[in-house]
Amino acid sequence: MPEEKPDTMTRRTVIATAATAAFVPVGAIRSAAQTPAPQRIFSPEQKRTLEAFLERLCPKDELGPGAVEIGAQDYIEVQLGDYLAPEKQTFLDGLAAVDAYARTSQGSGLADLSAEKQDQVLTDIDSGKAPQNTRAFFNRARRLMLEGMFGDPHYGGNKNFAGWDLIRYPGPRLATSPDLQKMGVAIQPYRRSAWGNDGHNH
Amino acid sequence: MATNLKPVDVVVVGLGAAGGTAVLPLARAGLKIAGIEAGTWMDPAKDFKADEVHNNVRGMITTGNKIRREAPTFRTSPDQPAQQGGPSPMMNAIGGTSIHYHAQSWRLKPWDFKTVTEVKKRYGAGYLPKGSTVADWPIGWDDIEPFYDVVEHEIGVSGKAGNINGVLDPVGNVYEGPRRREYPMPPLRTCDYLEHMKSAARSLGWKPFHSPAAINSEPYKGRTSCGYHGYCDRGGCHLRAKNSTCFTTIPEAQKTKNLTIFDRAQVTRILADSNGRVTGVQYLRDGQEFFQPAKAVLIGSYTYENVRLLLVSKSKAFPNGLSNNHGQVGKHYFGHWDAQAGAGVNALFPMDLNIWYGAILSQGVVIDEWADDSFDHSGLGFIGGASLTVYTEKHPIASAASATFGQAPQWGSKWKAWIHQNAGRAASAYLQANSFPYENTYLDLDPEIKDPLGDSVIRVTSGPKENERQACLYAQDKMEQWFKAAGATVVTKGNPTGPRLSTHTYGGTRMGDNPETSVVDKWGLAHEAPNLGMLGGSVFATSGARNPTLTIQALAWRTADHLAKNWNEIAG
Ligand SMILES: Cc1cc2nc3c(=O)[nH]c(=O)nc-3n(C[C@H](O)[C@H](O)[C@H](O)COP(=O)(O)OP(=O)(O)OC[C@H]3O[C@@H](n4cnc5c(N)ncnc54)[C@H](O)[C@@H]3O)c2cc1C
Ligand code: SF4
């Protein structure tokens, strides 16, 4: 992780959020981080396509749950209805482009293909073989999947802290003892959201 | 029409690291101060979260405020169009960026203040970087050392001295300039990874030491010590253990009752009379315009805004911007060559490092062998070098998102298995190179892009620099050596192409004796407007190979102290 890097947002979010954020006072923007009421953004078909896509990016396998069980799609849906609302349409258009490419290249929508064919669609996008507009979606969806899997459950993803368990991140503590910085030992995970306490007592 | 307010002695514009420090010596001297700050107070219990989405992904602490509306534009040469850069992580709040910075709290080296003289002496004039406008500072080590000492003790800095009055101690940094006494607190806690890196450094014959940090390693002045909680980066300290000015010098100044804070107030102009003396500042609060008269004005609004405020403040006496009759405002600007500029180094280890928690750069170990003039540069073709810091604190999203060192694809089961094993095994090093001002690097007003008030944003022009690039490449090799000696299986190095918008920015209102080549004098007061002072990196003549803030604070204290002690001559 390079330090003092500019915010890790992609250029696209920056532009999207800057447009809406410009005149909102600090307090108002910050409150957007409170748990939002879930909003239906995806049609059932869109949801199936997105889940199929995410599950190939991070499949359920012998290591444990994949992106969908960890709730990456829920993070994306909640956030596209809230903090990431300015990029909702772009995201949906990108998703449609991916599905359209699945149809033209493999003969049916992404969710209805075998895992191998789904992987072929993703590989085509990743390698630049698929139309250009699918590439931006791939990058953004992957980035949002990472946020949904490894971010605080407060935002709608990381169900049962399964994302943190996957990478063996031991959880956000408010203070740590030297034992928690011992090299080469397994650290007892602290499964708790940073928003699940008063911010002072632990 | 602006509402005229009751006159004060001093207006301080911006209560960040610089302005937030300057208010204390002024207040203690009995001067009446108006501290005018674009942001407001933050509440450690409510605002500061151990949450990567909040702090790092969305920049909730660092965005949504004034700085977003006036992001500078950037270009690498005058024949290119300048484009507005990404968001700046600089902060608008009482405490400024000192709220969420990494708090490495460095003194520069004696060499940094006299680089031109020292380089000529050791290597000859031909060794000075081509195209550079580097100059000696008008002050030297003995001028600034007392103020480093005052600030270290006032805010509380943790560290280990390596040179007390010439007596060296290799547990500290033996390359530092002589200091009068030990740090007020011992360094922050160590951990296995840092000890491991220290032994590796020693195996190379190097002298590792712990980062100096403006974070309490033990309770200090009624505030608790660090919890090493791992969300120090861009978060703000929920324990008030980070010695941000909002927890230290600002409340201390308020106790004197001489400081009145005007928050959520954006200064838009500095006014001057026909004799070239500043008369006060104009600011906007809740859409209303005010004029705050003052006998002296100190500006500490970060380099970009420091320069912009001068350039937009035109008057009869200063048709080209305040204190700019010699055309020096915006000149000798430069950004720091550091990880943001491509000088990072990453490593993958074969064991779990368990550096999830910690206090970022402040819980770090540093090598200074390859910085400044610590080593002989004969035949190398560059001057300077870089400090190398290894550190703790890793966040889950960034760790899962990081590159797989060519060992796995970016998605699918193989990727998943890779991050399962390795997300906690990768480490980064932070390199900071000595950087210098050049003719091809400067600030001016963007002719097209304006903020919502209709004022131009700053335009940054910053071209390539061979000296700094070579210094970075040299130091990156040393860092690779260090990581390898520690058992890293793979090391990758960034491509140092140079800073864009930076969180360490220097010059623009450079300090010097000559008004033809600088904006402020050796006290930080403007040559052309003697009751105007500039605070912050904008007065630096060189960067050093380390973060700027302690030097910014020592200079801010010194400027304020000088103003208070010579009040009648300067402001009378
Ligand atoms: C992520 C990060 C990590 C860092 N880590 C370190 C570190 O480890 N060590 C180190 O030494 N440095 C570090 N820095 C750099 C450090 O933050 C700066 O050097 C320091 O904050 C600069 O001080 P300043 O007072 O000039 O600016 P700031 O601290 O940014 O304060 C400027 C203040 O002026 C106010 N202001 C601006 N314009 C106006 C206006 N027109 N009217 C009224 N008020 C205004 C702002 O709201 C702000 O509060 C880091 C920076 C970042 C972003
Ligand atoms: S790491 Fe220490 S200083 Fe930094 S925010 Fe946490 S408790 Fe505060």
Side-chain angles (χ1 to χ4, degrees):
Chain A
M1 187 183 53
E3 274 334 299
E4 295 190 24
K5 60 197 180 227
D7 296 18
T8 44
M9 297 193 200
T10 63
R11 236 194 121 58
R12 206 147 55 87
T13 1
V14 168
I15 293 161
T17 53
T20 51
F23 299 100
V24 187
V26 183
I29 286 199
R30 223 180 301 118
S31 67
Q34 307 309 320
T35 310
Q39 206 184 318
R40 286 272 153 264
I41 295 292
F42 302 130
S43 69
E45 297 73 41
Q46 287 169 329
K47 188 154 187 181
R48 270 187 80 224
T49 308
L50 178 63
E51 289 186 356
F53 187 88
L54 297 174
E55 194 60 16
R56 293 323 296 159
L57 287 181
C58 184
K60 182 182 168 94
D61 57 18
E62 64 284 354
L63 259 181
V68 172
E69 210 172 309
I70 298 176
Q73 71 289 355
D74 292 339
Y75 169 82
I76 296 173
E77 183 157 36
V78 167
Q79 297 306 323
L80 286 179
D82 185 63
Y83 184 79
L84 300 178
E87 62 176 290
K88 180 178 113 182
Q89 199 51 50
T90 312
F91 190 90
L92 292 177
D93 292 346
L95 184 64
V98 169
D99 211 33
Y101 179 69
R103 280 176 218 284
T104 51
S105 67
Q106 301 292 338
S108 72
L110 190 73
D112 297 319
L113 295 173
S114 67
E116 289 71 40
K117 288 188 170 175
Q118 288 174 338
D119 279 353
Q120 192 54 55
V121 172
L122 265 67
T123 304
D124 287 355
I125 297 173
D126 198 13
S127 64
K129 211 180 133 199
Q132 199 45 47
N133 56 350
T134 59
R135 176 79 240 185
F137 175 81
F138 184 102
N139 291 343
R140 190 61 187 146
R142 180 174 180 277
R143 171 68 206 177
L144 292 179
M145 177 191 80
L146 293 171
E147 293 175 15
M149 290 177 66
F150 305 110
D152 194 288
H154 172 72
Y155 300 93
N158 197 0
K159 295 264 157 31
N160 301 316
F161 307 94
W164 287 345
D165 287 347
L166 171 60
I167 56 168
R168 302 179 295 133
Y169 170 65
R173 288 165 156 100
L174 295 182
T176 70
S177 68
D179 281 352
L180 295 171
Q181 291 191 300
K182 283 231 155 67
M183 223 158 64
V185 301
I187 299 180
Q188 187 64 34
Y190 182 74
R191 293 198 176 87
R192 185 135 185 193
S193 158
W195 299 81
N197 52 45
D198 61 12
H200 254 168
N201 296 336
H202 301 272
Chain B
M1 258 320 276
T3 310
N4 278 311
L5 300 168
K6 221 174 107 224
V8 294
D9 293 323
V10 188
V11 160
V12 176
V13 180
L15 295 178
T21 301
V23 292
L24 183 52
L26 295 173
R28 283 191 181 150
L31 294 168
K32 295 289 175 200
I33 310 146
I36 307 184
E37 166 54 53
T40 186
W41 292 101
M42 303 206 72
D43 177 350
K46 286 213 197 89
D47 294 323
F48 302 152
K49 292 285 173 215
D51 176 354
E52 185 183 9
V53 172
H54 181 265
N55 301 343
N56 306 89
V57 176
R58 297 187 181 172
M60 284 300 175
I61 293 294
T62 58
T63 56
N65 41 38
K66 169 175 174 286
I67 210 130
R68 279 246 153 155
R69 305 193 288 263
E70 56 192 39
T73 57
F74 180 86
R75 58 183 185 176
T76 51
S77 82
D79 47 4
Q80 271 190 352
Q83 295 196 332
Q84 210 150 17
S88 163
M90 303 313 283
M91 177 80 182
N92 296 121
I94 294 169
T97 311
S98 79
I99 288 180
H100 69 81
Y101 79 148
H102 301 159
Q104 259 199 341
S105 206
W106 289 105
R107 294 172 168 213
L108 296 186
K109 301 283 182 65
W111 184 84
D112 294 318
F113 296 95
K114 301 291 168 196
T115 301
V116 173
T117 303
E118 293 297 323
V119 167
K120 281 184 181 163
K121 204 159 62 186
R122 189 167 179 184
Y123 309 107
Y127 243 76
L128 288 167
K130 268 227 311 275
S132 168
T133 61
V134 61
D136 282 349
W137 292 54
I139 60 172
W141 189 248
D142 294 341
D143 298 306
I144 195 168
E145 200 281 335
F147 295 94
Y148 278 136
D149 183 75
V150 166
V151 173
E152 281 170 349
H153 284 77
E154 188 62 51
I155 64 172
V157 177
S158 301
K160 175 78 187 91
N163 180 345
I164 299 181
N165 294 320
V167 181
L168 302 187
D169 181 349
V171 179
N173 181 10
V174 294
Y175 298 105
E176 74 174 343
R179 54 171 63 241
R180 62 188 52 207
R181 55 175 163 164
E182 186 49 272
Y183 281 99
M185 289 174 278
L188 293 193
R189 174 176 104 191
T190 189
C191 68
D192 275 4
Y193 169 67
L194 294 181
E195 289 304 309
H196 181 73
M197 291 304 294
K198 274 158 72 181
S199 342
R202 290 198 190 104
S203 76
L204 294 167
W206 301 351
K207 298 176 211 64
F209 60 94
H210 286 266
S211 295
I215 291 179
N216 295 349
S217 60
E218 52 191 36
Y220 193 76
K221 296 201 172 178
R223 283 173 300 104
T224 187
S225 53
C226 177
Y228 305 92
H229 89 312
Y231 287 91
C232 216
D233 173 32
R234 287 154 216 246
C237 187
H238 58 304
L239 302 177
R240 301 163 78 247
K242 190 187 288 190
N243 301 329
S244 316
T245 54
C246 57
F247 303 140
T248 55
T249 46
I250 296 170
E252 204 55 38
Q254 285 182 303
K255 282 188 198 158
T256 65
K257 307 252 184 284
N258 291 327
L259 168 64
T260 309
I261 295 178
F262 298 84
D263 66 351
R264 297 184 292 107
Q266 171 172 352
V267 171
T268 51
R269 292 289 183 278
I270 319 294
L271 277 72
D273 65 19
S274 52
N275 302 321
R277 293 184 62 81
V278 298
T279 55
V281 308
Q282 196 166 296
Y283 70 85
L284 274 176
R285 190 171 198 266
D286 295 334
Q288 263 192 293
E289 204 162 71
F290 297 89
F291 175 66
Q292 174 63 65
K295 296 196 180 108
V297 174
L298 300 182
I299 307 183
S301 56
Y302 193 62
T303 299
Y304 298 128
E305 182 74 343
N306 278 5
V307 168
R308 193 169 81 122
L309 280 175
L310 296 191
L311 290 178
V312 299
S313 294
K314 294 180 180 163
S315 62
K316 262 214 195 87
F318 300 109
N320 301 314
L322 182 53
S323 194
N324 194 29
N325 290 342
H326 290 85
Q328 287 296 299
V329 175
K331 296 286 189 314
H332 316 293
Y333 161 84
F334 55 110
H336 213 170
W337 285 63
D338 65 358
Q340 294 178 94
V345 180
N346 298 313
L348 184 66
F349 285 89
M351 67 284 197
D352 291 346
L353 301 176
N354 286 342
I355 50 172
W356 299 107
Y357 302 121
I360 201 131
L361 299 178
S362 281
Q363 195 192 28
V365 160
V366 185
I367 285 298
D368 233 0
E369 262 80 358
W370 313 111
D372 318 307
D373 204 30
S374 303
F375 58 104
D376 187 358
H377 290 66
S378 304
L380 290 177
F382 63 89
I383 60 165
S387 62
L388 321 175
T389 303
V390 294
Y391 57 92
T392 58
E393 177 164 326
K394 278 170 69 76
H395 305 147
I397 299 170
S399 299
S402 80
T404 51
F405 293 86
Q407 296 183 342
Q410 292 292 314
W411 55 278
S413 273
K414 284 200 182 117
W415 169 73
K416 191 181 170 197
W418 193 91
I419 57 167
H420 171 67
Q421 172 164 294
N422 295 305
R425 296 182 169 192
S428 303
Y430 184 53
L431 275 62
Q432 305 186 73
N434 298 86
S435 312
F436 305 103
Y438 288 81
E439 275 148 20
N440 67 2
T441 293
Y442 53 88
L443 304 176
D444 61 6
L445 293 175
D446 193 289
E448 279 150 36
I449 313 266
K450 309 229 185 292
D451 72 8
L453 300 176
D455 285 326
S456 294
V457 303
I458 279 290
R459 176 171 66 182
V460 180
T461 305
S462 180
K465 273 130 204 114
E466 205 42 36
N467 181 82
E468 279 81 339
R469 182 171 161 80
Q470 291 308 323
C472 287
L473 293 170
Y474 186 82
Q476 284 177 309
D477 284 347
K478 300 294 179 189
M479 191 61 236
E480 178 174 23
Q481 227 182 313
W482 187 10
F483 270 142
K484 290 247 162 98
T489 49
V490 203
V491 177
T492 58
K493 294 180 276 190
N495 177 18
T497 49
R500 298 176 67 83
L501 302 184
S502 177
T503 60
H504 301 178
T505 50
Y506 308 95
T509 70
R510 175 159 83 173
M511 176 184 279
D513 290 329
N514 182 358
E516 307 282 337
T517 56
S518 62
V519 174
V520 299
D521 67 11
K522 65 178 176 181
W523 298 107
L525 299 176
H527 294 302
E528 300 177 16
N531 61 339
L532 169 71
M534 302 305 294
L535 312 173
S538 64
V539 306
F540 285 32
T542 59
S543 70
R546 51 214 76 248
N547 328 55
T549 309
L550 186 72
T551 303
I552 287 174
Q553 292 177 296
L555 291 172
W557 192 292
R558 186 172 174 271
T559 298
D561 184 66
H562 176 77
L563 176 60
K565 287 190 173 137
N566 300 278
W567 182 251
N568 289 333
E569 297 91 281
I570 298 169

